[in-house]
Amino acid sequence: EKRIESLNLWIDLVNAPHVRLFSRLIKKRRGEIDHLLVTYRSYGYLEDLVKMYIDADELILVGRRGFTGEEKLYEFARRVKELAGVVSSRKIDVAASKASPELARTAFGLGIPVVTVNDNENSPTIKLTFPLSSCIVIPEVFPPLECRGDCKEFRFKGVLEIAHVLEEEKEEEENYIAARSEPFGASYMPDHWDSLFFLGLKKLMDETDLSLVYFPREGDRWLDGLRRLYGDRVKVVERAKDLSIVKRASIFVGGGGTMTREAALLGTPTISAYPGDIAVNRLLEERGLIYRAEKPEDFIKFLSEHEEREKLVDKARKLIEECGDPCDVIWSAISSCKGS
């Protein structure tokens, strides 16, 4: 692989899971990056994780995340304006993000090649980012694209979360449920969905004596009800943590995507109540690493029937070995943009 001679790279981080992905990329390739600018927005655990994991020459907080359609539009416009002010005064060779429409629009407007990573075929941001990108990085299981524009396509095996867990060591299991709720306010979520996550979690809490370690989201619908019902049995993770809590849990209940896939790849028995279908989750379901719930009773069924942890760990390791590090594919896309 040819080494990049000189690279001024801009990365924009707009969601907490992006930090683990890009921190690994930075760690592996820091010696080939002359100057690294990382921008990020105010949203959930994102700021904590950026400060924990990101090694950059410049780290700049720009804007925040909107929740309603109107707020999203306003914050998009505001962030693009502020990012343009930050970036136009610097020499940037390549800009990269996981689905940041603000980075794509700003970099495109300034003539900077754009690398966009995306693993959710249901995300409307594809329509805003792919047509403006020089290179896109997507999973092999991603369905055919209609809105790719004139860009090079790089596909990686498996799921992005492999990069999150590659250096994780085994830890002893403890008796608790870990749970992460649905991504409230995300553009790819349906307007209305049932409360399968909450009802299934309630069933587990009612029929076991396990405590709950809960990772809430901004605008969380379920936290108050869980605290009211179960009091001290509910411990809330207020600040960002490493993956130890997920790794040690007896069971992981996921309403979203990233942490569900992380738990599965760590060999934690993982049940998904994600309100939709997504190719990368389906891949892990087919490999026996995620059990997809369809009704609250499935949670209890899963508790009594899931495979032993050692078997799950072995399955996860096998998949990881087959797939390799997705960061290498992202770097190939960045190198391609730099060379073009």
Side-chain angles (χ1 to χ4, degrees):
E1 182 184 306
K2 189 179 175 185
R3 189 182 189 283
I4 299 176
E5 282 309 313
S6 163
L7 176 66
N8 295 325
L9 180 63
W10 168 33
I11 294 171
D12 188 37
L13 303 170
V14 294
N15 204 349
H18 308 177
V19 176
R20 293 193 206 280
L21 177 68
F22 281 102
S23 68
R24 177 161 179 83
L25 178 85
I26 293 164
K27 190 175 175 183
K28 287 186 82 169
R29 300 292 181 169
R30 194 66 181 92
E32 296 174 64
I33 303 169
D34 287 349
H35 188 87
L36 177 61
L37 166 66
V38 173
T39 52
Y40 62 100
R41 65 181 178 177
S42 178
Y43 175 38
Y45 294 122
L46 180 56
E47 193 166 352
D48 284 351
L49 286 167
V50 164
K51 288 173 181 173
M52 281 168 68
Y53 289 110
I54 297 296
D55 168 28
D57 296 297
E58 294 182 276
L59 206 52
I60 302 175
L61 173 65
V62 180
R64 65 185 185 89
R65 188 247 204 178
F67 276 83
T68 65
E70 187 180 348
E71 279 178 2
K72 286 178 193 292
L73 188 60
Y74 176 82
E75 293 300 338
F76 168 83
R78 191 176 131 198
R79 270 200 102 224
V80 167
K81 181 182 177 185
E82 291 184 17
L83 288 170
V86 170
V87 174
S88 59
S89 62
R90 292 160 172 80
K91 183 184 180 301
I92 303 291
D93 297 310
V94 182
S97 82
K98 184 169 186 277
S100 166
E102 297 94 344
L103 174 137
R105 182 64 189 91
T106 305
F108 180 81
L110 295 172
I112 300 165
V114 175
V115 174
T116 297
V117 184
N118 202 313
D119 62 350
N120 184 345
E121 68 272 22
N122 301 322
S123 172
T125 60
I126 289 170
K127 295 175 184 174
L128 298 172
T129 55
F130 283 8
L132 301 179
S133 300
S134 307
C135 297
I136 58 171
V137 183
I138 54 179
E140 283 186 356
V141 294
F142 212 82
L145 295 166
E146 293 176 5
C147 57
R148 50 171 290 172
D150 183 25
C151 60
K152 282 189 198 170
E153 187 179 296
F154 292 76
R155 290 200 179 232
F156 60 88
K157 289 183 77 170
V159 298
L160 287 171
E161 288 76 15
I162 286 172
H164 304 190
V165 305
L166 275 168
E167 294 182 12
E168 293 292 330
E169 300 291 333
K170 184 180 174 183
E171 293 188 33
E172 288 303 309
E173 179 184 345
E174 294 179 22
N175 268 348
Y176 61 83
I177 302 160
R180 173 75 156 159
S181 51
E182 306 96 320
F184 305 106
S187 55
Y188 52 83
M189 287 288 285
D191 290 333
H192 303 284
W193 69 91
D194 64 22
S195 51
L196 177 61
F197 170 84
F198 176 76
L199 293 175
L201 198 51
K202 183 175 179 298
K203 213 151 188 58
L204 285 175
M205 294 294 284
D206 286 344
E207 298 196 23
T208 72
D209 59 0
L210 294 169
S211 59
L212 171 66
V213 180
Y214 191 77
F215 293 84
R217 299 189 188 255
E218 286 191 13
D220 200 292
R221 291 184 181 185
W222 315 126
L223 179 56
D224 288 346
L226 289 166
R227 278 176 155 157
R228 197 165 52 248
L229 285 166
Y230 304 110
D232 291 344
R233 283 177 68 197
V234 179
K235 297 173 177 60
V236 178
V237 182
E238 304 282 3
R239 305 298 297 264
K241 305 283 184 187
D242 59 22
L243 291 173
S244 291
I245 290 171
V246 176
K247 216 185 305 184
R248 294 195 304 263
S250 296
I251 182 173
F252 181 84
V253 178
T258 298
M259 203 174 277
T260 303
R261 294 188 291 274
E262 286 173 342
L265 290 167
L266 291 165
T268 302
T270 299
I271 186 165
S272 171
Y274 182 78
D277 192 30
I278 180 173
V280 284
N281 274 18
R282 205 159 54 242
L283 172 67
L284 297 186
E285 288 164 23
E286 288 164 2
R287 298 296 289 256
L289 292 168
I290 290 176
Y291 176 81
R292 184 172 180 176
E294 294 181 355
K295 53 188 186 296
E297 293 72 26
D298 289 344
F299 286 69
I300 297 302
K301 182 183 171 193
F302 176 71
L303 192 62
S304 60
E305 293 181 5
H306 70 71
E307 282 191 281
E308 293 173 12
R309 185 176 294 254
E310 287 307 316
K311 285 187 181 174
L312 291 170
V313 168
D314 287 344
K315 278 186 179 180
R317 281 190 188 132
K318 189 177 178 199
L319 177 66
I320 290 166
E321 283 166 12
E322 281 175 31
C323 296
D325 190 346
C327 287
D328 294 338
V329 180
I330 298 170
W331 189 254
S332 294
I334 291 170
S335 304
S336 173
C337 278
K338 170 61 176 152
S340 58

